[in-house]
Amino acid sequence: MGRLNPTFVEWLMGLPAGHVTDVPGLSRTAQLKALGNGVVPQQAAHALRSLLASAGAERGVTAA
């Protein structure tokens, strides 16, 4: 059975190549732990937009 590749996980999360895997001194396990505890940037952006839109709607504010 194969092992999970940190470079692949980095790519799946939409991070730039080397964002985690090029950090000096991080073992494979530490890289996977950092990636596993991270947030997918696209999901975070969507959540923030949704929250801001919802907060604006409650106040009667619309986006420009």
Side-chain angles (χ1 to χ4, degrees):
M1 179 180 289
R3 293 177 9 160
L4 189 58
N5 184 327
T7 304
F8 179 63
V9 176
E10 197 172 52
W11 175 80
L12 281 174
M13 292 182 72
L15 297 171
H19 186 74
V20 173
T21 56
D22 285 350
V23 175
L26 278 185
S27 66
R28 177 187 163 275
T29 303
Q31 291 173 1
L32 289 171
K33 185 175 182 178
L35 289 163
N37 288 331
V39 175
V40 176
Q42 295 87 342
Q43 180 63 32
H46 176 74
L48 184 56
R49 280 192 302 271
S50 295
L51 287 169
L52 291 173
S54 177
E58 289 176 8
R59 295 181 179 171
V61 177
T62 58

